Amino acid sequence: MSSASARWGSSGLAYLTGPPGGAPDFSRANVLARAEQVAEALGRRIGTAVDAAALLTGRAALLGLRRGGRVSAGGATRLLRTRDSWCAITLSRPDDVAAVPALLGIDGVPDDPWPAVEGWAAAHSASEVIDRTRLLDLPAAGLGEVAAAPPLVRSMGPRAAGRGWPGLLVADLSSMWAGPLCGQLLASAGATVVKVESPRRPDGTRGGNSDFFDWVNGGKLSYCVDFDRQAGELRELLAVADVVIEGSRPAALVRRRLVPDHLPVRPGRIWLRINGYGVLSGRPAFGDDAAVGGGLVGAGPDGPVFCGDAVADPLAGLEAASAVAESLQRGGGESIDVCMAGIAAGYAALPAARPVTDAPASPPSPPPVARPAAGLGADNDAVRRIVAERLALAC
């Protein structure tokens, strides 16, 4: 067995990939090998070790997830055969389930919507499925529809040389996994990371498994602000931040004037956007459907299966943190767009590993959770003091 396959098996990723009643799949072992290279380079830049395997399997370990073949490890996404290919559809939000009757042209939501969705998908082409789900704002992707796309870096303003991680202020407006993971990696380097949430729509993972939420958000300052009624206050935070992480649809921040064009120039500012299918697509995305969109799937005995657990999320978070660290070394003054499906496609293009028969596949080990995350809005006063001090220095 190759060293890459051995690490894939011991990491827990083989345990999470393959049909639920069959052998674990080792075909994507080079994904971990590549992620370890990125993590090693990032660790040198931020001055602390980064465990790629823990990043890719941490959620599954904390939640006790197992491989489900064409059912994602988390259970919300399905790989479905279409008339001409395969697609993934996610029904993780109440609105997603409520949209099923409109998707299928039926009255009422079945107790188990998946058999009906599966039959509908099989009668349509992949492009027809994606067109229809986009109209209904459902997270979905056709297998391999997105080309490989590394982080896209553009010049945005003047650079600021000589900055280190301590004293760096990061405003993290992202939610779920990829963006918060990136913010957590920057926090581990010594940056002050402010997790920004709306009281009306806090991070959806805050109400879920507390260990997972603490893992990716522990050590950040919690700042709760109404994006509409307190947009001016939030704009001040973004104006003084050295790094901004966001994953909102473009129009959501533009209409509130919470974008670089409406902020005073700050030398060295880095603006990171993480999206599912391209910055202008506006499509909702989750890690499992984005991975399928990039073609990053395992090889089942009669078709594709899910690779790991929502693997596009941690891969995008890792690549985003690496891109921010590289930008900081250049002096910043850049915007960075990270497409989750595009990142997944880059990893999907790696050579497949040779099949391994009867090789051990260990379950993933829970990552250490250093500290609990702060309660919603617990650090509002502290954040306001930081903002006030930075605004005073700018005068």
Side-chain angles (χ1 to χ4, degrees), residues 8-351:
W8 182 260
S10 63
S11 69
L13 284 160
Y15 179 87
L16 295 168
T17 307
D25 176 29
F26 285 76
S27 65
R28 293 297 187 180
N30 285 325
V31 167
L32 177 58
R34 171 58 182 160
E36 287 176 333
Q37 293 174 353
V38 176
E40 183 180 359
L42 174 61
R44 290 195 298 268
R45 291 188 178 98
I46 67 177
T48 185
V50 178
D51 186 340
L55 297 186
L56 269 58
T57 64
R59 189 185 81 143
L62 292 169
L63 274 61
L65 305 182
R66 309 172 68 91
R67 65 181 179 272
R70 294 195 187 116
V71 178
S72 64
T77 308
R78 301 289 175 99
L79 254 169
L80 306 174
R81 191 187 297 272
T82 66
R83 196 171 61 216
D84 58 351
S85 184
W86 295 85
C87 72
I89 296 178
T90 298
L91 301 178
S92 66
R93 305 168 298 182
D95 287 349
D96 298 333
V97 178
V100 168
L103 178 70
L104 306 182
I106 61 175
D107 295 324
V109 180
D111 291 337
D112 180 3
W114 284 114
V117 173
E118 181 178 358
W120 175 83
H124 294 79
S125 68
S127 63
E128 290 171 337
V129 170
I130 301 311
D131 287 345
R132 183 66 177 163
T133 55
R134 289 185 70 175
L135 285 175
L136 297 170
D137 205 34
L138 286 168
L143 177 61
E145 68 166 282
V146 179
L152 178 60
V153 180
R154 299 185 182 94
S155 176
M156 187 179 66
R159 299 186 186 277
R163 294 182 303 166
W165 292 102
L168 203 72
L169 180 62
V170 179
D172 181 4
L173 281 66
S174 66
S175 61
M176 305 306 285
W177 193 354
L181 176 60
C182 173
Q184 187 69 356
L185 289 167
L186 304 187
S188 70
T192 298
V193 180
V194 177
K195 182 170 182 62
V196 182
E197 297 173 85
S198 163
R200 289 182 287 179
R201 292 190 64 183
D203 188 332
T205 60
R206 182 177 281 277
N209 182 280
S210 60
D211 287 339
F212 173 68
F213 186 79
D214 291 345
W215 176 50
V216 293
N217 292 294
K220 301 177 185 177
L221 300 177
S222 177
Y223 179 57
C224 184
V225 58
D226 190 301
F227 281 39
D228 292 310
R229 298 174 185 175
Q230 298 172 284
E233 184 176 326
L234 177 54
R235 195 175 298 114
E236 289 184 340
L237 170 61
L238 302 185
V240 300
D242 301 298
V243 179
V244 177
I245 304 171
E246 53 104 339
S248 303
R249 301 188 192 190
L253 296 184
V254 169
R255 67 182 177 86
R256 297 178 174 94
R257 300 171 66 86
L258 299 173
V259 291
D261 288 346
H262 296 297
L263 298 175
V265 173
R266 181 173 181 81
R269 179 189 290 136
I270 300 169
W271 196 282
L272 171 68
R273 302 180 186 90
I274 300 178
N275 57 79
Y277 298 100
V279 68
L280 299 178
S281 74
R283 291 166 60 181
F286 290 88
D288 284 305
D289 57 81
V292 172
L296 184 50
V297 292
D302 57 351
V305 295
F306 284 105
C307 176
D309 169 36
V311 71
D313 265 310
L315 288 176
L318 173 62
E319 293 282 351
S322 179
V324 169
E326 291 177 7
S327 179
L328 189 68
Q329 286 187 330
R330 292 189 294 267
E334 296 175 334
S335 68
I336 305 171
D337 290 310
V338 174
C339 172
M340 290 168 58
I343 294 296
Y347 281 84
L350 296 170

